[in-house]
């Protein structure tokens, strides 16, 4: 791919390049399936068939029922749907979340705060790990809350112990929502194991298209639509369906599940290779977040560079060297604002953080180029 040969792309937590097989499947739908899925004629029925078969396939991959999958425009909408509907339709009067959630959860929760709805932030430590004793205290003090905690943090990669959260939620009659945007497609997520009421997915994080995702909603819950209009998505999300995107989401998920074990091994090895290389070759560099492999998302490596007098320029210099990485989260990259995640874990402000993130198409060669670029920027002597 020309794009990949020109740039070293280590920003897969922001978004991934699409898998050519996904593009192929989408192209076919674009060429052949143009009927409106709500139309009753043959072409409409064909389009409806594509959507329902995608729903069935996606649901079966995560062990859900088809009716538990609501297609959305991506992760942000799915997070909004879960949180807003929990408050509006399910009698939730308090939300327990963490200060390191994605803004789609944090801002939406804050937006819900009112005289009637309280928001409580669970403590996290300096590696972004949830304080489960505190979570328990909060849940006991506020039974029947919505607990919204992300499976993996998009900036530092720290993973949630969702079994503990599900137990605490169940003991206190709470609902459990998990933003699984960074983990869906990367781990064999199964709803019977996760025991969450809501799970959020976004296709562009695992080689699918942008602008499509879904919310898994446990079938015991009755929510109403956030977007009203026609009766699409069993009246839970109005608007003519993004059939091409849905096809892309299905294909991307199927490819992930087919190759998951090999991909986990391959990408974990790449992350470890880069981590070790940076730690060996760049004095003063530190890894952010959980360092234990099992507690950390294998696609994300966040590091703190040693302080320099040109911290602000480091990411820009990396960009000039042809290396795409991120300073904070995707949504914040390009914005001068500091990261709320790094602030919440007490990250020193005199050090620049760079998030390298890996995907299906990442290579050792790319890692080597990126590490050389970091050394050059920091003026670290090349070994003789
Ligand atoms: N949640 C997390 C953890 C994310 O990393 C992102 C994207 O960066 C989102 C939600 C938003 O997803 P989308 O881009 O599909 O709206």
């Amino acid at each position: 791919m020309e794009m990949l040969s020109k740039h070293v792309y280590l920003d897969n937590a922001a978004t991934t390049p699409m898998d050519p097989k996904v593009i192929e499947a989408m192209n076919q739908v674009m060429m052949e399936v143009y009927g409106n899925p709500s139309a009753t004629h043959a072409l409409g029925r064909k389009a409806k068939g594509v959507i329902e078969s995608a729903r069935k396939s996606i649901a079966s991959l995560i062990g859900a029922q088809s009716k538990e999958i609501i297609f959305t425009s991506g992760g942000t909408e799915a997070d909004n749907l879960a949180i807003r509907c929990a408050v509006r339709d399910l009698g939730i009067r308090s939300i327990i979340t963490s200060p390191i959630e994605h803004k789609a959860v944090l801002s939406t929760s804050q937006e819900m705060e009112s005289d009637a709805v309280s928001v409580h932030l669970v403590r996290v430590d300096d590696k972004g790990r949830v304080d489960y004793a505190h979570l328990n205290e909060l849940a006991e003090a506020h039974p029947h809350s919505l607990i919204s905690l992300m499976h993996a943090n998009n900036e530092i990669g720290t993973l949630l112990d969702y079994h503990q959260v599900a137990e605490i939620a169940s003991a206190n009659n709470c609902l459990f929502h998990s933003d699984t945007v960074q983990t869906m497609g990367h781990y064999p997520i199964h709803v019977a194991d996760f025991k969450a009421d809501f799970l959020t997915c976004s296709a562009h994080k695992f080689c699918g298209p942008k602008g499509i995702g879904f919310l898994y909603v446990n079938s015991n819950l009755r929510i109403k639509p956030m977007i009203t209009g026609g009766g699409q998505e069993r009246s839970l999300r109005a608007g003519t369906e993004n059939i091409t995107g849905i096809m892309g989401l299905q294909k991307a998920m199927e490819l992930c599940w087919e190759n998951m074990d090999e991909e986990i091994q391959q990408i974990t090895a790449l992350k470890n290779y880069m981590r070790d290389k940076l730690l060996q070759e760049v004095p003063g560099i530190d890894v952010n977040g959980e360092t234990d492999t099992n507690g950390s998302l294998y696609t994300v490596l966040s590091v703190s560079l040693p302080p320099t007098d040109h911290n602000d320029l480091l990411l820009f210099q990396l960009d000039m060297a042809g290396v795409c990485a991120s300073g904070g989260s995707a949504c914040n990259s390009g914005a001068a604002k500091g990261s709320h995640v790094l602030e919440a874990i007490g990250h020193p402000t005199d050090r620049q953080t760079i998030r390298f993130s890996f995907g299906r198409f990442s290579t050792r060669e790319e890692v080597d180029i990126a590490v050389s670029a970091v050394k050059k920027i920091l003026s670290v002597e090349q070994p003789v």
Side-chain angles (χ1 to χ4, degrees):
M1 216 186 276
E2 203 202 353
M3 185 182 76
L4 291 181
S5 63
K6 275 198 198 149
H7 292 103
V8 166
Y9 188 73
L10 293 178
D11 201 17
N12 288 273
T15 195
T16 49
M18 280 174 65
D19 192 299
K21 292 190 186 120
V22 172
I23 298 175
E24 203 181 303
M26 290 174 74
N27 272 341
Q28 201 181 342
V29 165
M30 276 194 281
M31 302 280 281
E32 294 171 13
V33 193
Y34 54 85
N36 187 317
S38 297
T40 51
H41 52 63
L43 290 186
R45 292 197 304 275
K46 185 173 174 181
K48 183 87 179 156
V50 168
I51 293 171
E52 292 317 316
S53 125
R55 197 189 311 278
K56 197 169 165 198
S57 165
I58 290 164
S60 84
L61 290 174
I62 62 165
Q65 305 170 49
S66 292
K67 64 180 180 187
E68 295 178 312
I69 305 294
I70 306 172
F71 291 121
T72 64
S73 64
T76 302
E77 186 188 326
D79 283 341
N80 268 266
L81 190 58
I83 296 166
R84 289 174 189 275
C85 292
V87 170
R88 190 193 56 190
D89 306 330
L90 304 173
I92 290 295
R93 290 294 164 261
S94 48
I95 301 171
I96 302 173
T97 185
S98 88
I100 62 168
E101 296 302 302
H102 190 273
K103 290 283 174 149
V105 165
L106 214 44
S107 304
T108 309
S109 299
Q110 281 156 1
E111 185 107 338
M112 294 288 96
E113 201 166 16
S114 66
D115 290 346
V117 180
S118 57
V119 176
H120 309 274
L121 296 182
V122 66
R123 277 193 295 268
V124 294
D125 70 8
D126 60 351
K127 297 192 182 313
R129 291 175 298 210
V130 165
D131 177 340
Y132 296 98
H134 187 222
L135 179 64
N136 198 37
E137 270 171 41
L138 288 172
E140 280 179 357
H142 306 280
H144 194 49
S145 293
L146 172 71
I147 299 179
S148 180
L149 292 171
M150 67 205 313
H151 185 196
N153 184 273
N154 50 307
E155 293 193 34
I156 53 174
T158 303
L159 283 168
L160 181 74
D161 180 350
Y162 57 81
H163 289 123
Q164 277 209 60
V165 180
E167 252 176 55
I168 293 171
S170 146
N172 295 285
N173 191 26
C174 294
L175 295 177
F176 174 25
H177 164 240
S178 190
D179 177 329
T180 44
V181 164
Q182 290 293 340
T183 52
M184 188 71 76
H186 299 291
Y187 290 90
I189 287 177
H190 196 282
V191 298
D193 168 56
F194 215 107
K195 294 192 172 62
D197 297 284
F198 304 98
L199 294 173
T200 297
C201 165
S202 177
H204 72 97
K205 306 291 185 178
F206 49 91
C207 302
K210 294 167 183 57
I212 186 74
F214 67 81
L215 180 69
Y216 156 80
V217 185
N218 185 294
S219 61
N220 295 328
L221 303 173
R222 293 277 165 272
I223 61 165
K224 296 193 188 114
M226 195 171 70
I227 298 174
T228 48
Q232 291 90 349
E233 293 295 288
R234 292 184 357 276
S235 294
L236 287 172
R237 202 260 188 185
T240 301
E241 297 88 336
N242 174 2
I243 179 166
T244 318
I246 291 170
M247 182 72 233
L249 166 63
Q250 173 191 355
K251 188 69 189 171
M253 280 205 47
E254 287 171 354
L255 289 173
C256 287
W257 257 260
E258 266 166 41
N259 305 311
M260 200 173 281
D261 290 347
E262 299 94 271
E263 218 155 84
I264 291 178
Q265 271 186 25
Q266 179 196 320
I267 301 175
T268 304
L270 201 61
K271 170 179 168 173
N272 292 345
Y273 174 67
M274 184 165 200
R275 182 199 57 208
D276 294 348
K277 206 169 160 66
L278 283 170
L279 288 173
Q280 273 160 22
E281 299 182 19
V282 182
I285 203 164
D286 276 330
V287 174
N288 297 316
E290 176 62 90
T291 39
D292 177 68
T293 314
N294 292 329
S296 172
L297 178 59
Y298 64 90
T299 54
V300 167
L301 175 63
S302 168
V303 293
S304 279
L305 301 182
T308 68
D309 54 6
H310 56 290
N311 276 352
D312 294 354
L313 292 177
L314 294 173
L315 198 63
F316 171 70
Q317 287 174 301
L318 211 50
D319 184 21
M320 290 297 99
V323 178
C324 302
S326 226
S329 72
C331 316
N332 291 339
S333 62
K337 229 170 135 250
S339 147
H340 68 283
V341 175
L342 297 175
E343 194 185 326
I345 62 168
H347 183 270
T349 47
D350 63 339
R351 304 185 64 172
Q352 171 69 46
T353 283
I354 310 262
R355 179 190 68 183
F356 297 103
S357 49
F358 315 93
R360 182 170 302 160
F361 304 109
S362 306
T363 63
R364 276 191 176 223
E365 195 196 350
E366 286 188 293
V367 167
D368 289 339
I369 297 171
V371 173
S372 297
V374 169
K375 286 164 67 177
K376 202 163 167 208
I377 290 163
L378 293 173
S379 310
V380 177
E381 293 300 322
Q382 301 288 337
V384 277

